[in-house]
Amino acid sequence: MFRQASRLLAQTLRAGLRPFSSDLPAAPTSDSAFIESWKKVIPNIEPPKTPSNFLRPRPATPTSIPSKITVNFVLPYASELSAKEVDMVIIPATTGQMGVLPGHVPTIAELKPGVLSVHEGNDVTKYFLSSGFAFIHANSVADIIAVEAVRIDHIDPSLVQKGLAEFTQKLSSATTELEKAEAQIGVELHSALNSALSG
Amino acid sequence: MAMAALRREGRRLAPLISPQSITAVRSSLISQEQAPLGLRSISTQIVRNRMKSVKNIQKITKAMKMVAASKLRAIQVKAENSRGLWQPFTALLGDTASVDVKKNVIVTVSSDKGLCGGINSTSVKTSKALKKLTAGPEKETKYVVLGEKAKAQLVRDSKKDIELSITELQKNPLNYTQVSVLADDILKNVEYDALRIVFNKFQSVVSFLPTVATVLSPEAVEKEAESGGKLGELDSYEIEGGETKSEVLQNLGEFQFSCVLFNAVMENACSEQGARMSAMDSSSRNAGDMLDRLTLTYNRTRQASITTELIEIISGASALQG
């Protein structure tokens, strides 16, 4: 009987500690203005949820510069890095490679195809990104959103060379504006890949 | 089965009844069961037909539940992975659901196939309520409908307000390229100040929450940033890349829309499979209950008809003897 009681107690403790849904933040906030205006016009239906209900809480802006920068690197199919503390990231902005250290000024940067390198201590992880955006917030949190990303060591150099040759040939034989634009994009991508692999 | 029981009864009663009456009884019983005439056996045939069809329905709905469960498993993983996609945008630009703009476009995400419970009706209800909420003088609200089910419901009373309707979204497995092409289509053909995406967010297999995600056009973002409020801090951000700030903001807005739409479509697909699973589960349970009730009725009717036959035989025999 005592064995059962202790088992039940352990179960309830475990159940209490486990969160109901992994996506709900600890303190869900909601858009109160929206809910108010909804209730006034449509009192019978429950107001729908908004993204702020499901937003993971973000750290507040610290007074002094923190030692590490928190990186969230997301793709449509996966969150590559989620709230990882690193020393520095180098992002391929359209204006060139940009190094981001803790305490960087808040920035919205548009990205071009290139290499993202994440420096933590002595390890450097390099990813090749197709384009995307990067936000650097005042609280030393960097959000990098890309459409596709692969680790550099997963790329096959021979295929890159083949692709580059193919698109250069297409560019020279292109007739319409659309074909020219598509071939131009292919050439830019493959030459960026090439320089990423060699650099 | 009924015939075997009757034969057994006949053999038991053999000493009481003469051979001629046994054959007469058996043939009369056969004719009564097959012919739908007479008050007693008409129900056994009909009940048996009903039982067969209810059993088939139970099998079909059970199979549909298994299919929905396996599809849900596959797509749930992808939907949960895509949840990180919209978080940075909301962190930067805030949740602007209560924004007051002139041109609202409501993008309703729904399924193509039915039998998925009430999720499409909730989406349509929320869209209609949003239209009422954002209505006002000099303001206009239009719909962009994704999926057959919402289109069927909205066409009934708001046909002229539907700008664009897209169906057969899930013919090929959902991927970002398809959704970004769709987003591009919508952005090119529809004029908007604010896009409101209505979908069912997948919280668990039994719970789906109607959600509204708002994406503002670059001009609306500028206006909100100037007037302060949620987007007031946007000016403190440096803009890297592009020729001008407005060009970057435009790219940002378009990217935000495609990311948020991708997540919305994924979550809605998950909710659809989950809702179909629970709908089919309750349907097969219902069919099982109905089958139990029908079996009881069938047995009762069968036994009653046997008893009546026996009474007739015995009273006939006793009339002959006595």
Side-chain angles (χ1 to χ4, degrees):
Chain A
M1 189 191 81
F2 287 116
R3 219 175 335 131
Q4 282 229 3
S6 61
R7 184 166 56 86
L8 283 168
L9 195 62
Q11 263 185 4
T12 47
L13 276 176
R14 255 181 286 139
L17 289 171
R18 215 177 335 128
F20 180 66
S21 158
S22 57
D23 214 48
L24 283 175
T29 50
S30 48
D31 196 346
S32 47
F34 177 64
I35 296 183
E36 290 296 324
S37 53
W38 178 280
K39 286 210 176 115
K40 260 189 273 176
V41 184
I42 307 131
N44 299 328
I45 308 177
E46 272 270 324
K49 305 270 176 218
T50 49
S52 50
N53 289 86
F54 306 108
L55 189 63
R56 265 183 232 125
R58 295 257 159 153
T61 313
T63 43
S64 64
I65 297 175
S67 60
K68 294 228 183 217
I69 188 169
T70 322
V71 172
N72 291 321
F73 178 30
V74 286
L75 304 170
Y77 302 113
S79 301
E80 277 289 330
L81 301 170
S82 155
K84 186 156 181 219
E85 306 246 330
V86 297
D87 296 321
M88 179 174 78
V89 273
I90 302 181
I91 61 177
T94 42
T95 50
Q97 299 275 62
M98 204 169 94
V100 181
L101 290 155
H104 195 282
V105 73
T107 313
I108 302 175
E110 205 179 328
L111 305 176
K112 66 167 193 247
V115 177
L116 168 85
S117 49
V118 178
H119 297 253
E120 173 158 18
N122 286 330
D123 328 296
V124 176
T125 332
K126 291 197 185 184
Y127 298 88
F128 184 84
L129 310 171
S130 71
S131 44
F133 266 85
F135 310 141
I136 303 152
H137 302 278
N139 50 9
S140 287
V141 173
D143 292 314
I144 305 164
I145 312 139
V147 179
E148 279 283 352
V150 266
R151 287 178 57 137
I152 295 275
D153 31 15
H154 292 314
I155 303 177
D156 185 356
S158 54
L159 283 175
V160 173
Q161 297 294 355
K162 229 173 38 165
L164 182 61
E166 194 188 316
F167 276 101
T168 343
Q169 193 248 341
K170 265 200 206 148
L171 182 61
S172 51
S173 68
T175 43
T176 64
E177 281 295 326
L178 181 66
E179 279 180 32
K180 240 184 240 169
E182 284 179 6
Q184 186 76 25
I185 295 171
V187 166
E188 272 174 23
L189 180 68
H190 282 83
S191 30
L193 266 170
N194 222 354
S195 55
L197 284 172
S198 50
Chain B
M1 187 180 76
M3 280 310 300
L6 282 163
R7 252 180 270 130
R8 257 181 277 137
E9 299 298 328
R11 254 180 267 130
R12 205 152 51 90
L13 295 163
L16 296 171
I17 313 167
S18 56
Q20 287 102 335
S21 28
I22 292 178
T23 43
V25 157
R26 223 180 274 159
S27 58
S28 67
L29 278 169
I30 297 168
S31 59
Q32 269 188 337
E33 275 203 341
Q34 285 172 351
L37 298 165
L39 283 165
R40 276 169 256 131
S41 56
I42 187 171
S43 13
T44 57
Q45 183 67 358
I46 292 179
V47 172
R48 239 197 327 210
N49 284 338
R50 274 208 81 177
M51 274 170 63
K52 200 162 71 167
S53 67
V54 169
K55 204 186 282 186
N56 280 336
I57 287 178
Q58 192 185 31
K59 284 192 201 151
I60 290 172
T61 52
K62 227 178 236 176
M64 283 183 78
K65 178 186 162 189
M66 293 291 128
V67 167
S70 73
K71 284 195 179 158
L72 176 69
R73 249 198 311 270
I75 203 168
Q76 191 176 353
V77 169
K78 288 172 93 180
E80 290 190 350
N81 283 338
S82 80
R83 277 194 187 147
L85 200 57
W86 57 265
Q87 301 243 354
F89 292 107
T90 315
L92 178 74
L93 298 168
D95 186 16
T96 48
S98 52
V99 72
D100 195 16
V101 289
K102 288 222 173 54
K103 293 206 187 122
N104 282 297
V105 173
I106 301 177
V107 181
T108 314
V109 186
S110 70
S111 65
D112 283 331
K113 301 202 190 129
L115 294 180
C116 49
I119 55 167
N120 292 322
S121 310
T122 21
S123 283
V124 170
K125 227 173 21 176
T126 315
S127 309
K128 288 190 180 161
L130 256 186
K131 181 161 195 257
K132 203 165 130 188
L133 184 69
T134 58
E138 289 192 6
K139 287 199 228 167
E140 58 168 325
T141 316
K142 298 256 171 209
Y143 289 112
V144 169
V145 184
L146 269 69
E148 276 287 345
K149 292 287 152 189
K151 182 170 123 178
Q153 291 192 33
L154 285 172
V155 134
R156 263 193 272 143
D157 45 3
S158 334
K159 187 160 180 197
K160 54 179 173 46
D161 285 327
I162 300 180
E163 283 266 355
L164 207 58
S165 85
I166 296 128
T167 53
E168 296 204 344
L169 216 63
Q170 297 209 36
K171 199 146 84 165
N172 307 317
L174 287 170
N175 57 2
Y176 184 72
T177 326
Q178 173 193 26
V179 175
S180 61
V181 166
L182 191 64
D184 202 27
D185 245 348
I186 297 176
L187 289 169
K188 267 199 293 235
N189 294 328
V190 176
E191 274 189 30
Y192 69 100
D193 283 328
L195 286 158
R196 295 172 196 270
I197 307 171
V198 176
F199 61 102
N200 292 87
K201 188 169 169 76
F202 181 78
Q203 206 188 6
S204 78
V205 181
V206 294
S207 129
F208 325 105
L209 304 169
T211 315
V212 173
T214 321
V215 175
L216 298 174
S217 73
E219 296 90 18
V221 169
E222 293 267 3
K223 216 170 65 160
E224 286 288 312
E226 275 161 36
S227 69
K230 291 189 196 111
L231 297 178
E233 292 168 38
L234 197 62
D235 278 332
S236 67
Y237 282 80
E238 290 254 336
I239 310 280
E240 288 270 344
E243 309 286 311
T244 59
K245 179 172 174 184
S246 52
E247 196 184 305
V248 172
L249 279 180
Q250 193 186 10
N251 289 342
L252 182 65
E254 294 180 1
F255 192 45
Q256 180 187 12
F257 179 51
S258 76
C259 288
V260 174
L261 190 64
F262 179 66
N263 184 52
V265 168
M266 281 275 171
E267 300 266 358
N268 204 60
C270 253
S271 307
E272 177 199 338
Q273 299 299 343
R276 186 165 296 133
M277 232 178 91
S278 54
M280 293 295 105
D281 181 46
S282 62
S283 167
S284 49
R285 206 172 304 135
N286 242 353
D289 287 342
M290 208 185 279
L291 200 60
D292 288 339
R293 270 200 308 258
L294 283 170
T295 314
L296 286 174
T297 322
Y298 177 74
N299 281 330
R300 257 203 308 268
T301 330
R302 186 180 54 86
Q303 287 163 356
S305 75
I306 294 170
T307 315
T308 337
E309 287 309 313
L310 286 174
I311 291 174
E312 281 183 7
I313 293 162
I314 293 170
S315 56
S318 64
L320 282 172
Q321 279 177 357

